[in-house]
Each structure stands twice: as structure tokens, then as C-alpha cells.
Amino acid sequence: MSKKIEIERSKLMEAYKAANDEQKQLLINLYGKDIFKPADVRERIKTFEDACRELDSRCEDNHPLVSEFEALQGYFCENDNLSKDILAYLQLRIICAALNEGWEPTFANEEYRWYPWFVIYTKDELARMDEEKRRRVVGRSYNNAYAYGGLVFASAHYASSYSRSNFGSRLAFKSEELADYAGKQFIEIYADFVAL
């Protein structure tokens, strides 16, 4: 007769955090690796590489978007012919898919979709700003922003082309919080996408 042992998830997570690598592997072998993933996708995805791993973990082989990225990057890098905005778009497709955790926009009339919203400043506009306002320019470093123009994350409501756009790209998010997070966390990739 087997006896069932129950453990609270919070206690299991505490044990996992305090464990050394060997102990962590033992816990993963017992409970599976998915239980130790943070529940909030924003905690799991901090980098582009995290987004690739997240998508690949949902498939037996590479996720189709990751496979396409790797194939196109390999081909174009060999020929030294991949522009930053195209590379950024391929990366943003992966980031959006990973953060959305399977949700895809259907573009139905009643569906809400969220997009990061940016304000782009020219070099001259930045030069005319007082120091305090210039410090609020989020994302790029002051020197980089000053030299090339500034990219500021502003809000996360509608498509980045116009605040009341009825059209948008497939780079949509299922929630305002995810759009806000992506716009801030991946601002350098968005800056390359808008070709600053």
C-alpha cells in the first residue's frame, strides 16, 4: 500500500531556491522541470534567448518561429545581407509569441490587442530638452540616445503608428501589462525595428 505525501508548492519552491545544483536536479527528476518555472511569464523571459527557450520548450523540436529565425539569420549572415530592422522584426515575433503563451490575435472586431507605444526624439529635440526631461528618456543610454535620437517608451494602448489605429501588426499582446513589459524590457530591439 502506497502512502500519498502532499507538499505545498510554496515550500517546494523554497526548497528549490535553497538547493545546490545536484539537489535541484533531484527535485526536477521528482516533480518535473515545469513546476519550478516562475508562473509569471515576465519572470521567465528577460532576454531574447529566454524567449527562444520558452517557445522551444513547448515543441518536440524547435518552434517554427525559432527555426525560421535561425535559418534566415544563418543565410543572411553568411551573405552579410541582413538589415537590423529585419533581424529585429524576426526577434520581436519570437518575443511576442513567447510572452503571449499561445494566444494569437484573431483581429476580430471585439478583440482587444495591445502594442508598445514609443515616442521617438531627434538629436535636435533631445538637445533642446532640459536635463531632467532628457533623463526620462527610457531605454537607450543618454550618450547613445543623444547621438542618434531618443526612443522613449510611453504607453501600451494601440498600434505604434497612430494612437487610434484600427490596424496593427501581428506583434500584438494579449494584455496591456505584457505590451508595457515588452516595450521596456526589449526597447533596444524595438529601436532597431524602427531603424533609429
Side-chain angles (χ1 to χ4, degrees):
M1 179 188 268
S2 68
K3 294 183 180 180
K4 185 176 182 180
I5 298 174
E6 291 186 23
I7 184 169
E8 290 180 29
R9 188 173 194 279
S10 61
K11 299 279 187 198
L12 184 61
M13 294 305 287
E14 286 176 24
Y16 184 80
K17 287 178 186 175
N20 63 32
D21 289 341
E22 189 176 311
Q23 294 164 333
K24 284 182 181 178
Q25 190 57 54
L26 175 64
L27 290 170
I28 288 170
N29 291 344
L30 287 170
Y31 296 100
K33 65 180 180 181
D34 289 343
I35 197 166
F36 299 106
K37 284 184 180 178
D40 188 337
V41 70
R42 294 170 293 182
E43 291 299 314
R44 296 192 309 268
I45 300 174
K46 301 284 186 187
T47 65
F48 171 69
E49 291 76 18
D50 292 342
C52 290
R53 277 191 295 277
E54 179 78 16
L55 287 185
D56 280 346
S57 73
R58 299 178 197 164
C59 301
E60 258 182 57
D61 296 320
N62 278 1
H63 188 277
L65 291 178
V66 176
S67 294
E68 288 174 8
F69 171 79
E70 290 171 351
L72 289 169
Q73 184 186 32
Y75 173 78
F76 284 112
C77 286
E78 283 177 20
N79 297 300
D80 199 28
N81 197 17
L82 185 61
S83 58
K84 278 186 173 183
D85 61 319
I86 299 299
L87 179 63
Y89 174 70
L90 295 171
Q91 291 173 319
L92 289 172
R93 288 178 2 157
I94 290 168
I95 291 165
C96 287
L99 288 173
N100 280 323
E101 299 180 290
W103 176 87
E104 292 182 5
T106 60
F107 297 94
N109 285 339
E110 299 301 317
E111 176 187 67
Y112 283 93
R113 296 169 301 282
W114 304 92
Y115 303 86
W117 178 267
F118 301 95
V119 175
I120 301 171
Y121 291 105
T122 65
K123 181 180 176 181
D124 292 338
E125 288 171 322
L126 283 169
R128 289 192 302 267
M129 288 180 193
D130 63 45
E131 190 64 33
E132 179 162 336
K133 187 167 183 179
R134 227 180 277 131
R135 271 196 301 265
R136 291 192 315 234
V137 173
V138 178
R140 296 201 164 196
S141 68
Y142 170 72
N143 289 333
N144 201 7
Y146 187 76
Y148 301 109
L151 182 67
V152 177
F153 177 81
S155 185
H157 296 288
Y158 300 97
S160 59
S161 61
Y162 181 67
S163 65
R164 294 234 180 239
S165 175
N166 293 321
F167 304 97
S169 71
R170 291 233 169 240
L171 300 179
F173 292 94
K174 65 182 177 180
S175 72
E176 182 175 3
E177 293 77 21
L178 286 177
D180 181 65
Y181 173 76
K184 291 175 182 173
Q185 184 69 24
F186 298 101
I187 196 164
E188 290 292 335
I189 297 174
Y190 277 104
D192 287 344
F193 180 56
V194 296
L196 284 179

